[in-house]
């Protein structure tokens, strides 16, 4: 346990080092620094207000937890709240300070810019894994040392609950913010007024850039922080219960092993990150190749570490096979996503665009549907393999395996929006075409790493929530969970439709908020004299404010849904129905999340393909159709899809955390 | 059993009477009759070729069945093949003879036209239920009377297999045909050349009309014929096994009761149909109201019949409650669909169209997702209620309850495409605006009944396949089907993604075939002199031919998938995994089918709303956007969505039918 704590601390220190090294880069001339600064202020304002709302809800919730469960759980909850909030805030903070530096570094070539962007993203990667490892092992150690408190495992679920709690606000709020601003900016700017994307005359353009940071950096970070935390916590619980539920059981070692595994993964991630920095400092040219080498290095090192741990610490290689199966499944799902969002299928969508927008959409839907197939089958087979080697404990371990190199995965994911932002800043500050060319190149790679990141987040959600489902049914003393039982089957059907309800709510929220932004941007063009001619500046902060209020105001309903469903289900249909509901929600939720992420990514890159000059290039009919495809995909891939990860895990976590209460009340 | 046979015979006689009474109407002047004749020839040609391909596949399949199962099963299979083929052929035949008569009857007012269209649809409704009831009870009686053959229940699954077999070809083949022709016709006609829909100069226009008949009449008929047959057969099996699997068991009565229930439903449907005819002959004006009264009449009468049967024959009201719960769930799902495809949500989509096609699509996706929620929850709750009153047997009965008034439901569903065709014929034969107005009015109602029909088909699929799942797991001697078992969970995940794979295949097939039609229509415009000026006629039959070949050629891959999946699953992952796969396939399949049907219907009617003069009316930007929405929805609602019903039931039926083989081989 101590090892995990120390490694977590070291990861945090490494994150700090990366942050300093990133910030040492030149922020660039005033025209760049000013825009970067505006984005920074906007993002910080949004996050601060988001945290305030979160705090206001967390307070009564903590009291409720204290009343119905125990004050110790509340302590874990608060520690979790602090760690999860910090990691998303650090990531966002550094990202907003990196974007301008990347735009400036692009003057010194692709490798240099790439190095800065990746290092900025790596800050969040290491902060998330470091804080999570420290927080969980810290809480565990504390309750283990204090003799008069309950079992550490009984309170640790509070930490999980906190990670989910933060993720709702940061992921869903950020997701609504980013797409409302993006769509709002495009609808008036590109469609009505006819000015290019990222044009400084558009009042919503800063809000759009802010959105990339609060949605795709902080949001994705909190999403994967939740998966990471949930997987670790459920591994600990299942490790402790392995004796009763079957599977590999090796005493206390089963409980310690997951944290050692996490520590090994953190070290491997850090080495992979160093490798990427080294390669890009040396000027190796292709960014895709550099990132892949880094990822593979981490994967191989992590496997090696797990092998050594399994052999020497656990003395049983089953755990190694189970963990590695998860790691391999995660990598394969990444490759599958890369194929569907970067290779042949996007050409199919682009070619379909020649017959108009309708065929663009139909082609994208077909590609999105197909793209989920291999991933879900891999998840299923991975489970069977993991179970074969180490029982239900093995399934939890395979989830950990998938997430073990989260540090470098997250670094790659956060690199995407930073590169995107850098491109926007280069455009807004009217840099020359050679700079734009480099940032575009970085951005295209970033699009794919972002799509991979989303597919990875969905798969990690599957792994985490399957473990949570096991942990819940164990805690709820469910003996028989037969699909033929009508309550279980009804749970499956009802759970299967929750993701649909949730995503429809979120999509509508984006639409409503975007509408408000459209009205504001139109008003500014009408009322501010000389704006369209570029003589005066628009009032950027108003749009940031509208997006903030829209995002935070529309959070309530979907959150209430996610939190109340387990309560309603268990008290009307019973414990088994809730387990069935979880299973249905996992299956349909992961399917929809993968579908939305991949279809959205494919539409985006099909547009990029045409903009690259193929099939008529910019301005052609195919291009117009592909823009419609991209716009449809935006709220799917950046808001609704990722928010399903939160829904699924939140329902699972609430079910697990409140089981003691349920059992008391059902008696 | 005899009762069911006789009632089935009477239903067939009633269908014949309806057919004669429909055909007695004046076929109209030559310009109408000629077009109707061309549609008829095209549809018959397609169906004949479809049956030939089906026959060619059925022969080796029957041999295979005879080898691995028994020749008795093959006998039931062949009877099923004949009955199912006949019912879809009768329905399509009469529909293609009714369309022109409706267009002509429109001269005598709305009620008269409505009466003709509905009577034409009712022919198929009564033919499907009559032939199915006769066929199943006939096979049962035969094997019951012959002393030396196996138990009738052991062979009856062959009949089910046949219904699925026919449904694949007729539903999926017809679905690809209809949408490829529709999209192909629109892409060249409306978009490139700028002529209106259903313009006689468009070479694909007859193929489009043929498509309505082979897809929406014959296809839907075969789809619901499959659900009806599967539900009856699985009720018989579960009724016989009720003793061992728990639930209401009343000896042989449990086996006879489902067929009596079917007979009662057929009588109630016939009375409802007579009611609709009476009201529309009397000239009651609103078609929606007339149809609703007919449906409610049948529903109430059917309930009453079931009440009497439960009380006097079974002596146990549990069966009545279980059956009625299914009936009520079916009606509520219909109302839910009506709301989402006819009420406020379509206004939301229409208003979103003002901001362009992207928001039309996003709004439709949100509406479609939301529309599934209540239906799935109702299905889940209905199951629990049915199980409460009569155990697993009750769940089978609730499925029968939902389908009991299928006769009138199908009449309403088939009415839609007939009215649609009548409108097309009126346009092509250049009838006056007052005729067009009446056919438009009938068509708008038909759009909604068609959407309700699709939602109903999906729900019926859920009911039928849940019963098949129970019957399969009983036949495969599965004791424990725990979700936590990794094989079951992996099955859920893999099954959950099959509908996505299947619909993506089907959507792509539509796209490919539509492309061929586009090329042909373009060629005719280019090469046939005087075509665009209306001086010469295009060669309609070429487009029918291309659509036919496209549809039949692209069937192989999805069918092979559906049939091979149970084999592959059971031999690699085992019996429990196959059961899990079925459950996952049911949950995701029904969800996607409902989503596609409702989103498609909502887009279609949002377009109709704008064409009715709102939000700028025809030619406005909103109208253009809404056309894109409608085009996207078309392959979803008319091809991919309905084909999922077939997929789900086919996998379930194949699993059930081949279980004896599986067990032998697994030993």
């Amino acid at each position: 346990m101590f090892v995990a704590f120390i490694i977590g601390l070291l990861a945090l220190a490494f994150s700090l080092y990366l942050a300093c090294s990133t910030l040492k880069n030149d922020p660039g001339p005033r025209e760049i620094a000013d825009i970067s600064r505006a984005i920074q202020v906007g993002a910080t304002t949004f996050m601060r207000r988001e945290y305030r709302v979160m705090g206001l809800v967390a307070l009564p919730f903590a009291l409720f937890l204290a009343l119905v469960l125990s004050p110790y759980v509340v302590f874990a909850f608060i520690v979790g709240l602090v760690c999860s909030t910090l990691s998303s805030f650090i990531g966002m903070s550094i990202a907003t300070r990196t974007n301008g530096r990347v735009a400036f570094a692009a003057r010194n070539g692709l490798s240099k810019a790439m190095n800065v962007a990746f290092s900025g993203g790596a800050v969040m990667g290491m902060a998330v894994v470091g804080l999570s490892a420290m927080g969980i092992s810290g809480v565990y150690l504390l309750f283990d040392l204090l003799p008069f408190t309950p079992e550490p495992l009984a309170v640790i679920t509070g930490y999980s609950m906190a990670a989910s709690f933060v993720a709702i606000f940061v992921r869903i709020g950020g997701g609504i913010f980013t797409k409302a601003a993006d769509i709002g900016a495009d609808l008036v700017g590109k469609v009505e007024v006819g000015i290019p994307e990222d044009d400084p005359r558009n009042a919503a353009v800063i809000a759009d850039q802010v959105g990339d940071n609060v949605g795709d950096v902080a949001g994705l970070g909190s999403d994967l922080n939740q998966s990471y935390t949930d997987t670790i916590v459920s591994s600990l619980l299942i490790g402790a219960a392995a004796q009763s539920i079957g599977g590999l059981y090796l005493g206390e070692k089963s409980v310690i092993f997951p944290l050692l595994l996490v520590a090994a993964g953190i070290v491997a991630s850090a080495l992979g990150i160093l490798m990427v920095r080294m390669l890009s400092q040396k000027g190796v040219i292709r960014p895709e190749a550099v990132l892949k080498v880094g990822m593979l290095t981490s994967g191989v090192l992590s496997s090696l570490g797990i092998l050594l741990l399994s052999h020497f610490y656990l003395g049983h290689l089953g755990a190694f096979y189970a963990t590695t199966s998860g790691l391999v499944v995660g990598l394969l799902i990444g490759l599958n996503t890369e194929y569907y969002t970067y290779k042949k299928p996007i050409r199919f969508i682009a070619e379909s665009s020649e017959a108009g927008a309708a065929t663009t959409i139909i082609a994208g839907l077909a590609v999105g549907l197909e793209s989920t197939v291999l991933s879900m089958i891999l998840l299923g087979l991975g489970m069977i393999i993991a179970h074969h080697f180490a029982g239900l404990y093995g399934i939890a371990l395979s989830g950990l395996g998938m997430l073990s190199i989260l540090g470098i995965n997250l670094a790659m994911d956060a690199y995407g929006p930073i590169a995107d932002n850098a491109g926007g800043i280069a455009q807004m500050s009217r840099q020359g075409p050679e700079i734009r060319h480099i940032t575009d190149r970085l951005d295209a790679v970033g699009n794919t790493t972002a799509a991979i990141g989303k597919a990875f987040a969905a798969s990690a959600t599957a792994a985490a929530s399957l473990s949570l489902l096991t942990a819940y049914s164990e805690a709820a003393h469910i003996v028989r969970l037969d699909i033929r039982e009508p309550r279980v089957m009804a749970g499956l059907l009802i759970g299967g439709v929750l993701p649909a309800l949730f995503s429809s709510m979120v999509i509508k929220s984006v639409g409503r908020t975007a509408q408000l932004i459209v009205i504001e941007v139109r008003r500014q063009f009408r009322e501010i004299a000389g704006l369209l001619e570029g003589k005066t500046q628009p009032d950027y902060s108003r749009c940031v404010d509208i997006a903030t209020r829209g995002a935070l105001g529309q959070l309530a309903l979907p959150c209430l849904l996610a939190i109340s469903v387990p309560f309603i289900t268990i008290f009307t249909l019973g414990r088994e129905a809730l387990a069935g509901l979880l299973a249905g929600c996992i299956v349909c939720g992961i399917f929809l999340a993968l579908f939305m992420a991949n279809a959205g990514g494919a539409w985006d890159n099909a547009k990029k393909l045409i903009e690259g000059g193929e099939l008529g290039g910019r301005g052609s009919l195919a291009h117009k159709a592909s823009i419609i495809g991209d716009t449809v995909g935006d709220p799917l891939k950046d808001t609704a899809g990722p928010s399903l990860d939160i829904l699924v895990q939140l329902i699972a976590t609430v079910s697990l955390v409140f089981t003691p209460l349920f059992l008391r009340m059902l008696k």
Side-chain angles (χ1 to χ4, degrees), chain A:
Chain A
M1 279 294 167
F2 250 122
V3 176
F5 189 80
I6 299 297
I7 296 277
L9 204 63
L10 287 177
L12 210 57
F14 183 53
S15 169
L16 201 70
Y17 158 75
L18 286 170
C20 292
S21 122
T22 309
L23 293 181
K24 244 191 265 158
N25 289 291
D26 193 330
R30 241 194 88 184
E31 68 265 26
I32 288 184
D34 275 357
I35 299 169
S36 175
R37 177 102 204 112
I39 296 172
Q40 208 173 300
V41 171
T44 316
T45 313
F46 170 72
M47 296 290 278
R48 218 176 273 146
R49 279 167 66 177
E50 193 173 58
Y51 292 145
R52 198 183 312 143
V53 176
M54 198 171 81
L56 284 176
V57 184
L59 203 70
F61 191 76
L63 273 175
F64 175 67
L65 279 179
L67 276 174
V68 303
L69 297 170
S70 87
Y72 304 115
V73 174
V74 176
F75 175 78
F77 178 74
I78 290 170
V79 174
L81 222 50
V82 171
C83 289
S84 305
T85 309
L86 254 185
S87 62
S88 62
F89 190 77
I90 292 173
M92 185 280 297
S93 251
I94 298 299
T96 53
R97 283 172 175 80
T98 310
N99 46 22
R101 289 177 164 85
V102 175
F104 187 68
R107 298 189 182 189
N108 303 323
L110 184 63
S111 308
K112 179 70 188 150
M114 149 92 194
N115 188 21
V116 177
F118 180 79
S119 302
V123 173
M124 184 173 75
M126 294 315 288
V128 165
V129 295
L131 279 164
S132 196
M134 260 179 70
I136 296 173
S137 52
V139 169
Y140 189 97
L141 282 172
L142 183 72
F143 284 96
D144 209 26
L145 292 176
L146 296 177
F148 52 86
T149 53
E151 247 286 88
L153 288 176
V155 300
I156 207 90
T157 53
Y159 192 98
S160 249
M161 187 70 235
S164 291
F165 198 86
V166 173
I168 309 178
F169 286 88
V170 179
R171 183 35 138 173
I172 305 181
I176 297 175
F177 185 108
T178 180
K179 283 308 122 174
D182 188 4
I183 295 176
D186 284 357
L187 282 181
V188 185
K190 282 204 269 188
V191 182
E192 291 183 11
V193 185
I195 52 178
E197 196 163 348
D198 296 331
D199 190 290
R201 288 169 291 178
N202 192 327
V205 75
I206 289 287
D208 184 9
Q209 307 283 342
V210 168
D212 288 345
N213 290 288
V214 300
D216 291 349
V217 179
L220 189 71
S222 71
D223 183 347
L224 282 161
N225 176 58
Q226 178 194 20
S227 298
Y228 197 62
T229 305
D230 282 351
T231 316
I232 299 176
V233 168
S234 52
S235 307
L236 299 182
L237 293 177
I238 295 173
Q243 195 167 24
S244 70
I245 59 180
L248 192 67
Y249 182 68
L250 300 155
E252 216 197 344
K253 281 185 177 174
S254 296
V255 184
I256 307 291
F257 182 71
L259 279 168
L260 291 179
L261 202 155
V262 163
I266 292 178
V267 174
S269 292
L271 294 174
I273 289 172
L274 287 175
M275 175 74 121
V276 171
R277 277 167 59 95
M278 205 183 68
L279 286 177
S280 56
Q281 263 161 1
K282 276 203 180 156
V284 176
I285 309 207
R286 291 186 50 233
E288 304 90 322
V290 171
L291 292 176
K292 257 191 200 154
V293 169
M295 183 110 132
L296 278 178
T297 308
S298 294
V300 170
L301 287 177
S302 170
S303 283
L304 201 70
I306 298 162
L307 177 63
L308 294 175
L309 282 173
S310 304
H311 185 69
F312 291 108
Y313 177 75
L314 220 51
H316 191 296
L317 283 184
F320 165 70
Y321 295 128
T323 315
T324 309
S325 79
L327 187 62
V328 171
V329 165
L331 289 174
L332 289 178
I333 288 176
L335 287 180
N336 179 59
T337 307
E338 192 192 1
Y339 172 75
Y340 279 102
T341 59
Y342 205 59
K343 299 285 163 73
K344 225 177 83 193
I346 64 164
R347 184 163 294 277
F348 167 64
I349 297 177
E351 282 164 3
S352 304
S353 302
E354 290 189 292
T359 38
T360 310
I361 304 292
I362 294 172
L365 292 175
V367 166
L369 287 170
E370 196 185 300
S371 73
T372 61
V373 177
L374 209 62
S375 304
M376 299 267 288
I377 294 178
L378 282 169
L379 281 172
L381 296 181
M383 271 184 56
I384 293 181
I385 294 172
H387 185 268
H388 175 76
F389 286 110
L392 287 175
Y393 181 54
I395 294 178
L397 288 182
S398 85
L400 267 187
M402 191 183 287
L403 286 161
S404 64
I405 52 168
L406 180 65
I408 187 165
N409 280 327
L410 257 182
M412 283 173 57
D413 301 342
Y415 150 86
I418 292 175
D420 190 358
N421 248 244
I425 293 174
Q427 168 85 9
M428 286 179 72
S429 61
R430 304 203 166 86
Q431 302 294 313
E434 67 291 350
I435 306 275
R436 261 313 257 184
H437 180 74
I438 288 181
T439 55
D440 273 357
R441 182 86 174 70
L442 291 176
D443 187 15
V445 177
N447 259 337
T448 306
T449 64
I452 295 177
K454 276 157 200 156
F456 185 76
S459 317
T461 299
S465 38
L466 285 170
S467 297
L468 286 172
L469 168 60
T470 309
Y472 157 74
S473 65
E474 184 55 22
H477 309 304
I478 294 177
V479 180
R480 198 178 142 84
L481 203 49
D482 200 299
I483 292 184
R484 286 166 296 185
E485 289 283 325
R487 278 160 199 275
V488 177
M489 192 70 216
L492 270 176
L493 286 169
I494 297 172
V497 93
L498 288 177
L501 177 59
F502 199 73
S503 28
S504 127
M505 279 177 171
V506 172
I507 292 172
K508 282 187 179 170
S509 299
V510 171
R512 272 191 293 264
T513 311
Q515 209 56 49
L516 296 177
I517 290 178
V518 164
I519 293 168
E520 172 64 20
V521 177
R522 276 189 197 145
R523 188 193 65 78
Q524 294 204 13
F525 273 123
R526 206 174 48 235
E527 295 182 3
I528 300 180
L531 176 54
L532 201 53
E533 296 76 36
K535 287 181 201 150
T536 39
Q537 275 219 334
D539 183 358
Y540 298 125
S541 63
R542 283 292 298 266
C543 286
V544 173
D545 190 59
I546 290 170
T548 305
R549 257 187 275 169
L552 297 177
Q554 314 244 13
L555 264 177
L557 204 62
C559 293
L560 211 65
L561 170 77
I563 294 179
S564 59
V565 158
F567 285 88
I568 297 172
T569 308
I570 210 161
F571 290 121
T572 55
L573 302 176
R575 287 177 288 175
E576 286 84 5
L578 180 54
L581 181 137
L582 279 178
C585 195
I586 293 171
V587 173
C588 284
I590 303 310
F591 159 64
L592 271 181
L594 287 171
F595 163 69
M596 290 177 172
N598 295 345
W603 272 316
D604 195 343
N605 276 338
K607 186 192 72 174
K608 286 252 153 70
L609 191 74
I610 294 177
E611 288 178 348
E614 299 203 44
L615 301 162
R618 276 179 203 268
S620 63
L621 274 175
H623 185 226
K624 279 192 191 123
S626 73
I627 290 177
I628 292 179
D630 181 35
T631 312
V632 169
D634 264 349
L636 301 186
K637 79 177 188 325
D638 291 327
T639 315
S643 70
L644 291 177
D645 300 347
I646 314 300
L647 171 80
V648 172
Q649 283 186 73
L650 185 65
I651 293 187
T653 310
V654 170
S655 306
L656 174 63
V657 171
F658 289 102
T659 299
L661 171 69
F662 295 154
L663 290 181
R664 240 177 15 240
M665 293 185 67
L666 284 174
K667 248 178 214 163

